[in-house]
Amino acid sequence: MTKLWIQRLEAGLIFFGSFAIAALVVWRKNDVSSILHHVGHPIAIPTAIVLFAVVASAPFSVTDAIAVMNGVIFGPLVGSLINAAGLVVAAVVGYKLALRTSHLLDLEAQYAKLPKWVRHFKVGSPMFLIVVRILPGLGGTIATQTAASLRVPMWRQIYSMCAIAVPICTVLAIFGDQVSAFVDHYSASARTYMHDHRPHFSPGPQKQDAHASPHAESTP
């Protein structure tokens, strides 16, 4: 009995600890962005991959903000490649974590809540693992926990996750980079316009000293 509780405690710490770390990265994404800007590309790229993998492998996590951030920092091409590499790592890490935590979720109850069109696919099949990830909220977590619970091949876990997540994160990286360029361009234009059209005030007539004689002559 004690061993069972220790196993549940370990699984709970892994499950919620990974979520807390991912949430912290997303919450402090501005600080993360600043760090990546300053460390330089040779170190920044693998660091960004690891950070993305940490977020993407955690349960209940949302990778949108990190995917956009990578596009802004590294550009659409490199940012998309970083997101894709991070997703592959996340698929492996998430699967390994789920092997220890899959019993924390009542998967049977979660399956009953899925839309009928999803339940047409055999649980654990490639199509099931792909389409369930489309569902917002628990979709990705249910897919990974199911894959671990049924011990599906690792390759199936990787391609079923990447089939949905890579296109989405690629669009976010491109969109994020373009939005950043748009904002920077029009912010610079606005600053230039304000500078060129700011009002220029000429100094008014100086007040005469109250103690000076109005008939006093100025000294040449």
Side-chain angles (χ1 to χ4, degrees), residues 24-94:
L24 179 63
V25 172
V26 175
W27 179 48
R28 302 301 297 269
K29 65 180 183 298
N30 290 335
D31 294 333
V32 172
S33 176
S34 179
I35 292 171
L36 292 176
H37 271 298
H38 286 89
V39 297
H41 281 290
I43 301 176
I45 290 177
T47 303
I49 292 173
V50 171
L51 289 173
F52 190 91
V54 167
V55 174
S57 62
F60 316 120
S61 67
V62 178
T63 58
D64 296 12
I66 304 299
V68 170
M69 182 189 75
N70 287 336
V72 172
I73 295 174
F74 299 99
L77 177 59
V78 177
S80 297
L81 293 175
I82 288 172
N83 291 343
L87 285 168
V88 173
V89 176
V92 176
V93 174

Side-chain angles (χ1 to χ4, degrees), residues 216-220:
E217 297 181 357
S218 58
T219 303

